[in-house]
Structures are given as structure tokens and as C-alpha cells.
């Protein structure tokens, strides 16, 4: 009898526990599903409104795209769009937003709270980007949606604003429970190469996503954009005039073509480069190519060096003028194209510094040009989307001193730069390898 009642007790106890566990599971699952439902409803409403207005709406949330990519590889997830810790992030083209008033009123009719942030306080006045243009929308019904606006720029790429170019941004974000840190995009301005999209099914909703997800995620990591300072350029041209003689204009045009060609070749090889030395000084100081500079200078991290560079340039109308150094030390390539020169300086890491090397062909002397560490940003330079050191002024000052604003007519690459150091000599038995000069 005693044994029987013990079994009975166990059975009852077990069932009670099971029921308790099941209801706990239900409690845990139910709000989750409800959240997903709310999430998808909001997204579907936005998709419906944008498609009515013939706007393209592309999901660009990194986490959602990552989950979607994993799902293609067999890892299932209930709602890829829902699992992000940021507001759901989408992008649309500003050009496609012809009826922005209709867009806002349709969203409001659907009971979305809508705020648009604008380019009210841009640090510089970029050509073609006026103030008072919307740079993004913040939408809230059940969930918060961050709708980024891509603006088409002269250099045939997409640009987006930085949140803080609207002085109201911080207070507006906080009404959505957000801060500059909790949004995924627009902490800074950004630039993207144009990309194609794919229409996919996300939780039953047809949604556009970038066709090449890994490429898009990679580009997102390095999308920071800075604008050339048109204020500084105007001030430079007021103090020092602008050389508009036919010879100067002709040189600038040819140098531009050379830079554009180098960009095409390096982009094709997937090699990062930035404008360096005199070309960078011209960009920073006057948003232009310095007419008397005679050459175009670019920098490449030695970690991005590829053996394909030389054959690619030779196959496209460049002639090798000199090859100094070797891949692990002071590499510098110089090409000519017509009577113009393209110098490619390779940059090496050394603790807190980055440096590139120089070689004096007649003596075998080595030089070292030292720069404080820098990161790379996109910019638009004469309608070309190119990279510059984000810390542009520090880079310029390392190279040209604090007097960089004043045009210099006498410049000796071995002694003038404040960041030049002597760096020993190449051993004579290596000269034929490390000093190849062609004429
Ligand atoms: C979106 O549009 C589709 C097709 O017109 C419709 O079936 C669906 O109910 C709409 N959804 C919302 C949330 O408005
Ligand atoms: C570069 O490589 C050579 C061998 O090719 C080696 O002798 C030399 O020490 C290396 N230099 C540096 C700075 O690593």
C-alpha cells in the first residue's frame, strides 16, 4: 500500500511539474511569436507603402543579412529580420522618393510615428549636396525602423549622411529609445559602390537585399566617408589665387585621367589605395590637383601588395620608370604615362607608426618617411570616389609641416619633409635588385 501511494505521488508530482514546464515554455514562446508577428506586420506595411510609391526598399541590416546568408547554408531561423539588436535598417534611394509628402502621410495613416533627419549642419558644403535634404527616416509603430536614404553622387556611387549633421538628432533618437551608438548605420557619413539586389522571401514578405551579401557586409565595414573641405579650398584660392591658365588646366585634366585610370586598374584587382603626398595635399588644401605638381601619388599598404599590379599597369599603357626596394622593405614603384608620372608608395607598419621608404638611385641611400597611424576613409575628389587618410590633417602635417597652407616652390624629397629620416644604405650586392631604373 505504501509503495502504491509513493508511485501515485510521483505520477501526480511529475504531471504537475510537466504542466508547469509547458506553461512556462508557452509563456516564453508566446511573446516571442507575438513580437515576430508585430515585427513582420510593420515591415510588411512599409513594404506595401514603398511599393505603392514605386520606391525600392532594401534590407541592409548586417545581422539580418548574416542570418539570411547562414539560412541559405542550412542554418534555419524563424525570422531573420527580427533577430537584430539594432532598429530594423533599410535603405531607399533619395532619387526614388519623389513624393516624400505622400510617403510620410501614408506612413502616418498607417499609424507610424515618423521623423525625418536632415543635412542641417554639414561640416562642409559639398557640391551637389544641399542642406535641408532628408538623410533618413525614423519610423515607429510596434517596432523602430531606421530608413537610410542613399544619395547619388557625381562619382557614380551612393552616399549617405551622418546622423549628427542634424543638430536635432540626439533628442529625436532618444524619443525612439535610440542613441547614435545603438543605430547600425549613419554614425558617420558613408559611401557605397552601387550594388545589385535580389528579391527574397523573409517571413512571407518579399524583400530586396544586396545580391552579394559578403561584399556588402565587407563594404559596410569600410564605408566611412569624409567630405573635402570646400571652405578651406575657397580660403586657399582667395589667398593664393587659382591658376586657370590653359597649361594648368590641361595638366590637371591629364593628372585626373591618370588617377582615374589607376583607380580603375586597382579597383579591378581589389587593391585598396589612397591619394598620398602632393596629390593628398592638393585634395586637402584646395580640393583640386596642384597644377605644378607634375605627378600623381598614391599609397598602398604592403599587406595589400599583389604581384598582379605590375603586369596590370604594363598592360594598360603605363611604362615602369623605376622599381625601388623590395616587397619586405621600402618598395616604391613609379610609372609613366605620357609625360606624367604615377608614384606608388607602399606603407609598412612599425608600432605606433606607418612608414614608406625612399631610395636615392645614385648613392644607394635609403630614407624613411614616418606617419602617425591612420585609417582610411572614402572621399570624393574631382568626381572620383577615392580613399584618403581619415586623419588627413595629421597626415599632411607629418609630410609637409604645419606650414602646408603656403604653396611651396622649392621642395627636395630627401630633405624637405619633416618626417624624413635617413635609413642606411642598400648593400652594393643588392643594388641591381633594389634599384631598377628604366629610361
Ligand atoms: C500588403 O499588401 C498585400 C498585397 O496587396 C496584402 O495582402 C497585405 O494584407 C498588405 N499588408 C499590410 C500589412 O498592409
Ligand atoms: C627581407 O627579406 C630578405 C630576404 O629576401 C631578408 O634577408 C631581410 O632580412 C628581410 N628584411 C626585413 C626587413 O624583414
Amino acid at each position: 500500500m505504501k509503495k502504491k501511494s509513493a508511485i501515485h505521488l510521483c505520477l501526480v508530482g511529475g504531471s504537475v511539474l510537466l504542466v508547469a514546464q509547458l506553461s512556462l515554455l508557452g509563456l516564453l514562446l508566446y511573446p516571442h511569436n507575438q513580437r515576430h508577428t508585430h515585427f513582420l506586420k510593420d515591415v510588411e506595411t512599409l513594404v506595401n507603402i514603398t511599393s505603392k510609391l514605386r520606391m525600392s526598399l532594401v534590407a541592409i541590416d548586417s545581422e539580418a543579412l548574416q542570418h539570411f546568408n547562414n539560412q541559405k547554408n542550412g542554418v534555419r531561423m524563424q525570422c531573420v529580420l527580427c533577430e537584430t539588436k539594432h532598429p530594423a535598417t533599410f535603405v531607399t534611394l533619395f532619387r526614388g522618393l519623389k513624393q516624400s509628402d505622400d510617403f510620410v502621410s501614408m506612413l502616418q495613416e498607417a499609424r507610424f510615428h515618423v521623423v525625418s533627419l536632415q543635412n542641417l549642419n554639414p561640416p562642409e558644403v559639398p557640391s551637389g549636396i544641399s542642406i535641408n535634404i532628408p538623410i533618413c527616416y525614423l519610423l515607429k509603430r510596434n517596432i523602430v525602423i531606421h530608413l537610410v536614404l542613399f544619395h547619388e553622387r557625381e562619382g557614380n556611387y551612393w552616399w549617405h549622411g551622418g546622423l549628427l549633421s542634424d543638430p536635432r538628432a540626439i533628442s529625436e533618437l532618444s524619443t525612439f529609445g535610440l542613441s547614435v551608438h545603438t543605430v547600425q548605420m549613419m554614425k558617420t557619413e558613408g559611401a557605397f559602390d552601387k550594388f545589385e539586389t535580389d528579391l527574397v522571401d523573409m517571413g512571407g514578405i518579399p524583400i530586396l537585399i544586396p545580391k552579394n551579401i559578403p561584399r556588402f557586409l565587407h563594404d559596410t565595414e569600410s564605408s566611412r566617408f569624409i567630405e573635402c573641405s570646400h571652405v578651406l579650398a575657397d580660403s586657399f584660392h582667395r589667398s593664393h589665387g587659382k591658376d586657370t591658365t590653359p597649361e594648368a588646366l590641361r595638366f590637371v585634366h591629364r593628372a585626373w585621367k591618370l588617377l582615374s585610370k589607376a583607380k580603375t586598374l586597382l579597383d579591378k584587382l581589389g587593391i585598396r589605395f589612397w591619394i598620398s603626398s602632393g596629390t593628398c595635399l592638393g585634395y586637402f588644401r584646395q580640393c583640386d590637383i596642384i597644377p605644378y605638381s607634375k605627378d600623381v601619388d598614391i599609397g598602398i599598404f604592403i599587406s595589400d601588395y599583389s604581384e598582379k599590379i605590375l603586369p596590370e599597369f604594363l598592360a594598360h599603357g603605363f611604362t615602369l620608370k623605376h622599381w625601388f626596394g623590395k616587397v619586405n622593405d621600402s618598395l616604391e614603384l613609379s610609372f609613366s604615362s605620357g609625360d606624367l608620372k604615377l608614384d606608388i608608395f607602399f606603407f609598412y607598419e612599425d608600432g605606433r607608426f606607418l612608414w614608406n621608404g625612399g631610395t636615392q638611385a645614385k648613392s644607394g641611400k635609403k630614407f624613411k618617411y614616418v606617419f602617425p597611424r591612420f585609417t582610411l576613409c572614402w572621399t570624393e575628389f574631382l568626381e572620383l570616389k577615392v580613399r584618403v587618410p581619415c586623419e588627413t590633417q595629421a597626415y599632411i602635417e607629418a609630410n609637409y609641416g604645419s606650414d602646408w597652407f603656403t604653396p611651396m616652390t622649392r621642395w627636395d624629397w630627401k630633405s624637405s619633409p619633416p618626417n624624413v629620416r635617413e635609413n642606411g644604405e642598400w648593400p652594393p650586392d643588392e643594388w641591381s635588385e633594389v634599384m631598377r631604373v628604366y629610361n
Side-chain angles (χ1 to χ4, degrees), residues 167-185:
R168 304 167 303 149
I170 290 173
S171 72
E172 293 291 6
L173 284 167
S174 74
T175 66
F176 285 80
L178 301 173
S179 74
V180 176
H181 306 289
T182 52
V183 294
Q184 195 170 57
M185 296 275 282

Side-chain angles (χ1 to χ4, degrees), residues 250-270:
R250 220 171 70 82
F251 170 79
V252 168
H253 179 65
R254 282 160 56 238
W256 180 88
K257 271 174 68 178
L258 184 70
L259 177 62
S260 167
K261 202 159 144 191
K263 171 180 161 58
T264 305
L265 300 181
L266 291 167
D267 284 355
K268 193 168 109 194
L269 295 175

Side-chain angles (χ1 to χ4, degrees), residues 331-351:
L331 185 64
E332 176 193 337
L333 304 182
S334 187
F335 293 98
S336 60
S337 169
D339 58 343
L340 290 188
K341 196 155 70 82
L342 171 73
D343 285 323
I344 306 185
F345 303 108
F346 289 87
F347 280 63
Y348 298 78
E349 294 192 34
D350 183 5

Side-chain angles (χ1 to χ4, degrees), residues 286-300:
Q286 55 215 74
C287 300
D288 208 344
I289 288 169
I290 302 174
Y292 53 82
S293 55
K294 299 278 177 282
D295 50 18
V296 171
D297 304 306
I298 63 176
I300 295 179

Side-chain angles (χ1 to χ4, degrees), residues 407-427:
M408 259 160 290
T409 41
R410 286 178 52 81
W411 187 257
D412 175 25
W413 63 269
K414 300 181 295 311
S415 57
S416 304
N419 63 337
V420 68
R421 317 258 186 280
E422 295 202 359
N423 189 27
E425 286 169 22
W426 291 108

Side-chain angles (χ1 to χ4, degrees), residues 12-249:
V12 171
S15 317
V16 167
L17 250 159
L18 186 68
V19 168
Q21 278 174 338
L22 278 176
S23 16
L24 192 65
L25 188 68
L27 263 176
L28 282 174
L29 278 180
Y30 179 68
H32 199 56
N33 280 335
Q34 196 181 36
R35 204 174 76 84
H36 284 187
T37 311
H38 282 156
F39 198 109
L40 292 173
K41 261 269 160 342
D42 281 5
V43 172
E44 191 179 16
T45 306
L46 177 64
V47 167
N48 282 4
I49 290 173
T50 52
S51 74
K52 236 176 232 150
L53 293 173
R54 295 169 188 280
M55 296 159 55
S56 58
L57 180 77
V58 185
I60 52 166
D61 193 292
S62 301
E63 281 168 86
L65 292 176
Q66 197 71 60
H67 288 317
F68 185 80
N69 226 21
N70 292 343
Q71 194 152 63
K72 278 199 300 193
N73 302 330
V75 187
R76 288 263 141 221
M77 183 169 256
Q78 221 181 348
C79 172
V80 289
L81 277 174
C82 310
E83 300 297 328
T84 68
K85 41 182 192 298
H86 306 284
T89 311
F90 293 87
V91 68
T92 190
L93 295 182
F94 176 67
R95 192 167 45 100
L97 186 60
K98 291 183 199 80
Q99 311 122 307
S100 60
D101 294 345
D102 289 354
F103 179 53
V104 172
S105 58
M106 284 165 87
L107 286 166
Q108 283 167 341
E109 268 164 41
R111 293 182 301 105
F112 273 100
H113 173 47
V114 185
V115 162
S116 88
L117 295 181
Q118 311 200 333
N119 206 40
L120 287 176
N121 189 20
E124 296 298 337
V125 186
S127 54
I129 294 287
S130 50
I131 60 169
N132 287 332
I133 48 149
I135 51 170
C136 76
Y137 289 98
L138 299 168
L139 315 173
K140 183 174 185 176
R141 199 168 66 179
N142 298 302
I143 61 159
V144 178
I145 295 176
H146 180 198
L147 179 59
V148 179
L149 294 172
F150 272 176
H151 294 260
E152 186 152 356
R153 294 287 300 260
E154 296 288 333
N156 196 32
Y157 60 96
W158 287 322
W159 169 91
H160 68 71
L163 289 169
L164 294 179
S165 64
D166 190 328
R168 304 167 303 149
I170 290 173
S171 72
E172 293 291 6
L173 284 167
S174 74
T175 66
F176 285 80
L178 301 173
S179 74
V180 176
H181 306 289
T182 52
V183 294
Q184 195 170 57
M185 296 275 282
M186 300 180 66
K187 291 187 177 79
T188 64
E189 293 176 40
F192 286 84
D193 279 338
K194 293 182 175 178
F195 54 84
E196 292 180 53
T197 53
D198 263 342
L199 190 63
V200 300
D201 182 293
M202 279 194 182
I205 309 171
I207 287 193
L208 289 170
I209 58 167
K211 200 183 201 92
N212 186 339
I213 295 177
R215 165 90 194 266
F216 178 80
L217 294 176
H218 177 265
D219 287 354
T220 306
E221 301 277 295
S222 54
S223 64
R224 186 175 162 204
F225 179 94
I226 54 177
E227 201 74 63
C228 188
S229 170
H230 298 273
V231 173
L232 186 58
D234 286 347
S235 135
F236 178 82
H237 289 132
R238 268 197 310 276
S239 323
H240 299 288
K242 188 166 182 169
D243 190 349
T244 52
T245 56
E247 302 81 67
L249 296 180

